[in-house]
Amino acid sequence: MAAAAEAAVGGGPGSQSAAQRRLRILSGHLQRSPASRAPEAERLLFPSQCGARGAAERPVASTIPKKRQEILKWNGWGYNDSKFIFNKKGQAEFTGKRYRLSGMVLPVLKEWMEKTLGASLEHKITSRAFLNTSDVPSSIVNEEFLQDLRATKISYSQEAEDRVFRAHGHCLHEIFVLREGMFKRIPDIVIWPGCHDDVIKIVELACKHNLCIIPFGGGTSVSSALECPADERRTIVSLDTSQMNRILWLDEKNLTAHIEAGIIGQDLERQLGESGYCTGHEPDSMEFSSLGGWVATRASGMKKNIYGNIEDLVVHIKMVTPRGVIEKSCQVPRMSTGPDIHHFIMGSEGTLGVVTEVTIKIRPIPEYKKYGSVVFPNFERGVACLREIAKQRCAPASIRLVDNAQFQFGHALKPQVASIFTSFLDGLKKFYITKFKGFDPNELCVATLLFEGDREKVLQHEKQVYDIAAKFGGLAAGEDNGQRGYMLTFVIAYLRDLGLDYYVIGESFETSVPWDRVIDLCRNVKERIVRECKEKGVQFAPFSTCRVTQTYDAGACVYFYFAFNYRGISDPIHVYEQIERAAREEILANGGSLSHHHGVGKLRKQWMKESISDVGLGMLKSVKEYVDPNNIFGNRNLL
């Protein structure tokens, strides 16, 4: 352990001597050319540093507070003040003031739920309003460890609420447990490091006292990655990175920024925006998910066509492991030095260590943004259009195609129209598409578009995309529909909580698939879900739908939603898990991947050997055994 500790602090004697050699060379250059120092000084901006203890005690004010329970739900998605409800008139509305949909009445949602899912306002379940701390498993922490931890002056908590908030992600079964009972095992202690050096101290203490560490970023996992193994007998530490949330430097010449990994997406974009920059990485969870979480799960964003996925954005990663710190020696765009160590870190899901700092590419904020939408006669035509756009490599920042069931669902979320004129125009558009153009309302599908960049180039790009769409029977459906589609991205997750109040359980999952398998895979998976529901005794027809969310040269990401009414079923979560497992088997049988961007966690690891081969899995296990021989990072994801 002494060797590991030495490596963690300074990288070992070999790396120290190499660093000293480099410093001597650089210092010689600076002494010969004093004037050369000025441009370098201008190149980097330093809003904050991480080295000093004082700096570590002053994280940047985050949208999500350290005590998450102050503004977030303890047994559902998102903010306490934002939720779907049925008002006294029986109309659905979305509460709060945070979103464009907030405060609006949704006159069609109730009818859609009744017709599609068999839900009824007469059949309502009331979940527990408050967390009963007496239900929470006791905290078991070694006193010697606590003494060592106090000596570091790093913030920690053993309070029940803090521990429960970090015991789960947002899988259906996790939220169901919170509404109905309690987890058998949760973290014993939550620790908030303030910087990279704090993480080193925490990992050293965990090695010394043989503890289990589960890193926690934004808590948005949908792969059971944050669940504590029920049979873990060691003290479980939730290492919450949220107080490591600063931009340490911003390099305007190289268009990169070095950032602490605990920062959440919306804060990152806001802080960069103050200097005129952005990352462009916008996963659906960006309000709450963290930079470190994106790296640990190989995340993808809705605007990846311009900005890339997380693996395209990352320039440098620093990660603390029980063996020491992993990082490259320089911050360059590419290296040919054997297998890329970043690809051991990205997707490691907290099994090897804690990502503490990341250098990421940035771009100037685009001067112009324009939404759009296209309606197609059917899903097949829409997929063919997206394939052609990908082939010509002219995809906008984001292009997403929803099937007819999801189109109808989106219509159910349309707010009440205040203007008679607006209502008339909507009716006119519907008449034009269905009667004049002959589109079947039960077959048509819609693609939403987002263009970003220089105004003139955006307008040229827009024309090119619409011209391609026309060749596949697509009709321009307006900016409003496109903008509303992207607005719904951030509120749709709140709907599951409403469903649970009325005996409806729902979940989403995703895959990536070659272009020639997209149509078959979508059809077969949706049909399999319907068939499995019937065989498992679900009394009402399920809601089964999909959308194409990201496109590539060789294929696409497909995202599925499904939900069903579980009235009359004694163990709905068990039935749901059986159906989801069957859907995943169907995806794999149809040439799809295990996951495109959600990750594996514990939920999908049973298919890892099939997905990456027995030898591939053995390689990952070998890395784990070398980096973490005592399984300090024991969340049991992936392997």
Side-chain angles (χ1 to χ4, degrees), residues 526-556:
K526 289 189 289 185
E527 288 179 354
R528 180 73 178 269
I529 288 170
V530 172
R531 192 164 64 248
E532 290 288 331
C533 283
K534 190 173 182 180
E535 292 175 2
K536 300 294 184 295
V538 176
Q539 298 176 20
F540 303 86
F543 176 61
S544 178
T545 179
C546 70
R547 68 185 185 200
V548 178
T549 58
Q550 281 106 328
T551 61
Y552 299 86
D553 289 349

Side-chain angles (χ1 to χ4, degrees), residues 194-233:
C195 66
H196 169 79
D197 290 345
D198 282 355
V199 175
I200 289 176
K201 293 173 186 174
I202 294 166
V203 173
E204 287 177 347
L205 289 180
C207 292
K208 176 182 176 181
H209 296 280
N210 190 26
L211 312 181
C212 172
I213 295 177
I214 298 181
F216 183 94
T220 59
S221 163
V222 285
S223 63
S224 301
L226 290 170
E227 275 191 275
C228 298
D231 59 349
E232 178 58 74
R233 297 291 174 253

Side-chain angles (χ1 to χ4, degrees), residues 12 25 34 100 133 193 204 217 222 269 274 310 375 457 572 593:
I25 293 168
R100 287 186 60 202
T133 55
E204 287 177 347
V222 285
E269 293 303 305
E274 291 169 0
I310 195 66
V375 59
K457 289 180 180 178
S593 69

Side-chain angles (χ1 to χ4, degrees), residues 39 48 213 415 507 584:
S48 54
I213 295 177
E507 188 61 288
R584 182 61 57 185

